[in-house]
Amino acid sequence: MRTRMRHGGSLLLALALLGVSAGALADRTPARHEVVIEAMRYAPQTLEVKAGDTVVWTNKDPFPHTVTAQNHAFDSGEIAADGSWKFKPVRKGTFTYMCTLHPTMKATLIVR
């Protein structure tokens, strides 16, 4: 029992020396973000997320749309009316995306 306490204390000491609190580790639970596709636009137009978060695009228009990165980093394929698509970015960067069916529809995903 004493050994377990010593190792647990060592871990907390190491984290403290690195400037990481136990609370900070718990705060890094991946988040879920929503983008609504409606009236021929993405809302929000710019979304900032952390790598590992989940982004869900929901199509509320009566016709299909896509979520396609201009650099081809991701592509939803057609999202039907009332359908949705999930994406979990792991690569950091700024990604401009568009609907390939309606090229005037554009937005930006920023992954930190």
Side-chain angles (χ1 to χ4, degrees):
M1 182 86 128
R2 174 174 263 162
T3 304
R4 286 186 191 159
M5 296 287 280
R6 189 176 306 142
H7 289 300
S10 297
L11 176 61
L12 290 176
L13 177 60
L15 290 173
L17 291 173
L18 291 171
V20 177
S21 70
L25 291 177
D27 289 343
R28 193 47 215 128
T29 302
R32 179 182 165 108
H33 305 272
E34 303 279 337
V35 178
V36 175
I37 305 169
E38 190 170 31
M40 297 287 291
R41 51 180 287 149
Y42 301 101
Q45 288 279 289
T46 301
L47 178 63
E48 187 172 320
V49 303
K50 293 181 181 176
D53 287 354
T54 299
V55 183
V56 179
W57 284 264
T58 302
N59 182 5
K60 295 195 175 190
D61 275 338
F63 37 82
H65 291 292
T66 73
V67 176
T68 306
Q70 288 185 337
N71 69 357
H72 305 290
F74 54 87
D75 185 359
S76 65
E78 288 189 16
I79 304 170
D82 295 320
S84 64
W85 179 67
K86 294 180 189 178
F87 176 64
K88 184 181 277 194
V90 293
R91 198 171 94 205
K92 296 179 180 181
T94 299
F95 304 91
T96 301
Y97 63 91
M98 60 181 282
C99 175
T100 58
L101 304 172
H102 310 100
T104 59
M105 293 175 57
K106 295 182 181 180
T108 303
L109 177 64
I110 301 167
V111 183
R112 302 268 182 228

